[in-house]
């Protein structure tokens, strides 16, 4: 499923394809989606006048609230009878948003996922266990159809029942595990507790995504399982898994640019920034029929890696997502993403890769505490040892982030494990208001 003719297209040809698709898309949304007709009319934009990708920055953005206001089907561009599947975003805050797929959309999606699996070194010879949740969440079914498209064997395990996950991984001779990185860690930990030697199993690839994770977490997972761990990126509003994928270089997410046009914008000026600079990721769906989106603001923060990739693919690479702007903590005036804290913790000795960031209030003061588990086998009652570990964690965070954060080392296995997307930040402040 390596589609070299597309994935390694000359830039000029790719941009010509994008322009052609963009013109058709603007025509469709203007005529079929009220939200876009209103947005375009409001700024006097005539879709017929779009003839250069440089005009992208003149187009209005789409935000989550547009989708919420259109709940459930009002932004669909295809007739309801052509919609063959519906998914929705996780909707942690307020109303969920609904995304509909036509059969062509599903075909395009499974193609994108198959490219990702193939770039991770998988083929129709392999067995892939999907431990992303199945259901309205796009992870399970999205990955599932990609595996089938590749011609590999799919084990639709879904999330949860972790003992069973280990059993499947071992007994079904699975080659690749697809789930969130935090869940992979839990599966690996459970396997170890059961005395399963993960390095002796056939599993050799991890397809991990749906939440921010770090290079340090990649090292942990690769060592724990004896695998190569690949990042996969996506979001329900745009498609689900497979918007971006890592190749054998494991250095950034190639964006499926024949289907998705990517921009990075400055969140203050809302203007596009040059490749290499950080900002908010914005996508336009070039080929989707069900619910095409123009300049959708993802809230994800990252940058385009400007150098070309050694693998030969010409699709732009998005650096791994630092985090969502909504998850950014402002600690005494300093902006910090949980992933920056993860990078530091996971490099330290004697602590396990399980942590939480607790936001709380003391009087009118906001407080932040990082809780991290002690590695199993290190004696928790060795007060001096615990103090020394705490001090060195504190010093490492202070020197890397230039802020002082309270650190608490907790007992092994005392923090909640995730079976899907993990919540790293626990905010107790609202309970006290
Ligand atoms: O998480 C789709 C997905 C499923 C991607 C399985 C990869 C694998 P949502 O639930 O809508 O969709 O959440 C989308 O999750 O905007 C990012 O903030 C975050 N996210 C997704 N993939 C990654 C990743 C799915 N590889 C939101 N790295 C996105 C960091 C990710 N964050």
């Amino acid at each position: 499923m390596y589609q070299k003719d597309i994935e390694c297209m000359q830039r000029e040809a790719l941009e010509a394809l994008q322009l052609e698709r963009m013109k058709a898309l603007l025509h469709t949304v203007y005529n079929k989606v009220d939200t876009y007709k209103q947005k375009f009319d409001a700024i006097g934009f005539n879709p017929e006048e779009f003839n250069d990708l440089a005009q992208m920055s003149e187009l209005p953005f789409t935000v989550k609230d547009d989708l919420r206001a259109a709940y459930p089907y009002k932004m669909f561009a295809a007739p309801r009878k052509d919609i063959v599947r519906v998914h929705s975003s996780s909707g942690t805050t307020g109303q969920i948003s609904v995304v509909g797929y036509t059969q062509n959309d599903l075909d395009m999606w499974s193609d994108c996922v198959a490219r990702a699996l193939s770039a991770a070194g998988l083929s129709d010879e392999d067995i892939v266990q999907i431990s992303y949740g199945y259901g309205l969440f796009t992870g399970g079914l999205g990955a599932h159809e990609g595996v089938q498209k590749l011609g590999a064997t799919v084990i639709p395990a879904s999330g949860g029942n972790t003992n069973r996950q280990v059993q499947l991984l071992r007994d079904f001779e699975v080659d690749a595990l697809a789930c969130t990185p935090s869940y992979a860690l839990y599966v690996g930990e459970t396997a170890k507790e059961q005395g399963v030697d993960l390095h002796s199993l056939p599993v050799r690839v991890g397809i991990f995504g749906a939440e921010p994770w770090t290079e340090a977490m990649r090292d942990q997972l690769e060592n724990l399982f004896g695998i190569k761990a690949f990042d996969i990126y996506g979001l329900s509003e745009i498609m689900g898994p497979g918007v971006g994928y890592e190749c054998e270089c494991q250095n950034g997410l190639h964006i499926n640019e024949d289907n998705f046009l990517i921009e990075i914008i400055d969140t203050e000026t809302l203007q596009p920034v040059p490749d290499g600079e950080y900002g908010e990721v914005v996508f336009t769906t070039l080929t989707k029929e069900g619910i095409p989106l123009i300049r959708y603001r993802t809230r994800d923060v990252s940058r385009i890696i400007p150098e070309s990739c050694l693998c030969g693919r010409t699709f732009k690479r998005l650096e791994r997502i630092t985090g969502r702007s909504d998850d950014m903590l402002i600690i005494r005036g300093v902006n910090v993403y949980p992933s920056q804290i993860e990078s530091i913790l996971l490099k330290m000795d004697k602590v396990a890769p399980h942590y939480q960031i607790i936001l709380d209030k003391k009087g009118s003061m906001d407080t932040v505490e990082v809780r991290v588990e002690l590695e199993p086998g290190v004696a928790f009652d060795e007060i001096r040892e615990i103090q020394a570990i705490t001090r060195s964690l504190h010093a490492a965070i202070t020197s890397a982030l230039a802020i002082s954060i309270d650190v608490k080392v907790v007992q092994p296995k005392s923090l909640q494990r995730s079976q899907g997307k993990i919540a790293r930040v626990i905010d107790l402040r609202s309970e006290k208001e």
Side-chain angles (χ1 to χ4, degrees):
M1 277 307 292
Y2 177 31
Q3 298 175 336
K4 199 170 175 197
D5 51 331
I6 300 172
E7 293 173 78
C8 300
M9 233 174 171
Q10 290 296 319
R11 198 76 221 160
E12 221 168 82
L14 180 59
E15 286 178 5
L17 179 71
Q18 288 182 323
L19 178 60
E20 182 194 320
R21 291 183 166 172
M22 200 56 217
K23 285 181 181 173
L25 169 73
L26 290 171
H27 184 79
T28 307
V29 296
Y30 187 71
N31 291 300
K32 303 231 164 111
V33 184
D34 269 356
T35 312
Y36 285 119
K37 179 160 185 357
Q38 284 162 19
K39 277 182 190 277
F40 291 1
D41 286 348
I43 56 164
F45 171 74
N46 175 0
E48 304 303 325
E49 282 165 16
F50 189 91
N51 46 34
D52 190 332
L53 290 178
Q55 286 171 271
M56 284 305 295
S57 62
E58 294 166 21
L59 302 181
F61 292 106
T62 309
V63 293
K64 186 105 182 155
D65 276 346
D66 291 317
L67 289 166
R68 290 201 181 114
Y71 181 85
Y73 300 144
K74 288 199 268 304
M75 276 183 79
F76 284 14
R80 231 277 309 124
K81 79 171 199 6
D82 292 345
I83 301 291
V84 295
R85 170 122 47 92
V86 160
H87 282 284
S88 79
S89 70
S90 15
T92 36
T93 46
Q95 182 123 290
I96 59 173
S97 37
V98 181
V99 181
Y101 300 78
T102 64
Q103 188 56 53
N104 284 339
D105 292 339
L106 292 185
D107 290 344
M108 180 274 282
W109 185 6
S110 55
D111 236 39
C112 289
V113 175
R115 285 179 194 169
L117 300 169
S118 164
L122 297 168
S123 74
D124 56 2
E125 304 278 335
D126 290 311
I127 303 176
V128 185
Q129 177 168 331
I130 301 200
S131 307
Y132 288 113
Y134 281 60
L136 286 171
F137 175 55
T138 53
L141 280 165
H144 182 103
E145 292 215 336
V147 174
Q148 290 190 168
K149 186 65 140 309
L150 184 69
T153 307
V154 61
I155 315 282
S158 196
N161 199 345
T162 308
N163 287 330
R164 170 74 61 80
Q165 301 279 355
V166 175
Q167 183 191 352
L168 296 176
L169 203 62
R170 182 191 56 205
D171 295 353
F172 289 10
E173 300 174 354
V174 166
D175 298 289
L177 174 65
C179 61
T180 61
S182 59
Y183 192 47
L185 204 57
Y186 184 27
V187 172
E189 178 184 55
T190 308
K192 259 176 127 175
E193 280 166 15
Q194 291 180 6
V196 173
D197 174 13
L198 286 167
H199 286 237
S200 70
L201 301 185
V203 63
R204 62 172 208 284
V205 167
I207 305 287
F208 302 141
E211 63 187 14
W213 55 307
T214 57
E215 283 306 309
M217 182 66 91
R218 190 199 311 264
D219 287 346
Q220 292 271 351
L221 289 166
E222 291 195 336
N223 292 332
L224 177 65
F225 283 88
I227 57 171
K228 284 245 163 257
F230 294 86
D231 199 1
I232 187 164
Y233 169 74
L235 55 159
S236 353
E237 293 83 358
I238 296 299
M239 183 177 77
V243 174
Y245 59 102
E246 271 190 337
C247 64
E248 67 267 25
C249 301
Q250 293 179 296
N251 185 14
L253 299 145
H254 287 284
I255 298 301
N256 274 305
E257 283 189 277
D258 53 334
N259 296 309
F260 307 104
L261 195 137
I262 184 166
E263 297 170 86
I264 308 285
I265 60 160
D266 179 316
T267 46
E268 300 286 315
T269 65
L270 303 185
Q271 289 305 309
V273 301
D275 286 359
E277 285 181 25
Y278 287 92
E280 181 178 336
V281 182
V282 169
F283 283 113
T284 298
T285 64
L286 294 170
T287 51
K288 267 178 72 176
E289 299 173 339
I291 179 161
L293 296 182
I294 309 285
R295 304 194 85 203
Y296 181 71
R297 291 187 58 178
T298 63
R299 306 265 161 206
D300 290 331
V301 175
S302 185
R303 66 177 193 124
I304 299 291
I305 301 173
E307 296 80 27
S308 50
C309 188
L310 295 176
C311 74
R313 285 179 183 78
T314 49
F315 283 170
K316 282 187 180 174
R317 275 177 303 159
L318 182 67
E319 190 174 274
R320 62 164 63 256
I321 303 289
T322 314
R324 293 177 63 75
S325 51
D326 320 347
D327 294 340
M328 188 181 76
L329 308 168
I330 303 177
I331 305 174
R332 284 177 283 283
V334 180
N335 298 351
V336 179
Y337 284 97
S339 60
Q340 291 173 283
I341 295 176
E342 176 175 302
S343 292
I344 301 163
L345 296 178
L346 268 59
K347 285 187 195 131
M348 305 297 287
D349 289 337
K350 298 186 180 161
V351 292
H354 300 286
Y355 69 97
Q356 272 178 354
I357 300 164
I358 315 286
L359 308 181
D360 206 347
K361 250 183 177 1
K362 245 188 219 144
S364 62
M365 275 277 285
D366 283 349
T367 61
V368 183
E369 179 183 83
V370 174
R371 291 186 190 159
V372 57
E373 280 184 16
L374 195 63
E375 199 171 70
V378 181
F380 191 73
D381 47 8
E382 282 278 344
I383 291 174
R384 277 220 200 111
E385 170 122 77
I386 300 297
Q387 282 174 340
I389 297 171
T390 310
R391 266 199 307 275
S392 66
L393 286 172
H394 190 266
I397 294 176
T398 309
S399 93
L401 303 179
I403 37 162
S404 164
I405 303 182
D406 292 335
V407 178
K408 188 171 179 188
V409 175
V410 299
Q411 299 253 24
K413 298 202 65 182
S414 58
L415 298 179
Q416 175 104 40
R417 299 293 186 257
S418 95
Q419 302 192 343
K421 287 179 194 263
I422 196 161
R424 293 294 185 194
V425 179
I426 313 288
D427 194 345
L428 303 176
R429 290 173 301 182
S430 50
E431 291 169 19
K432 303 203 168 158
E433 268 159 14

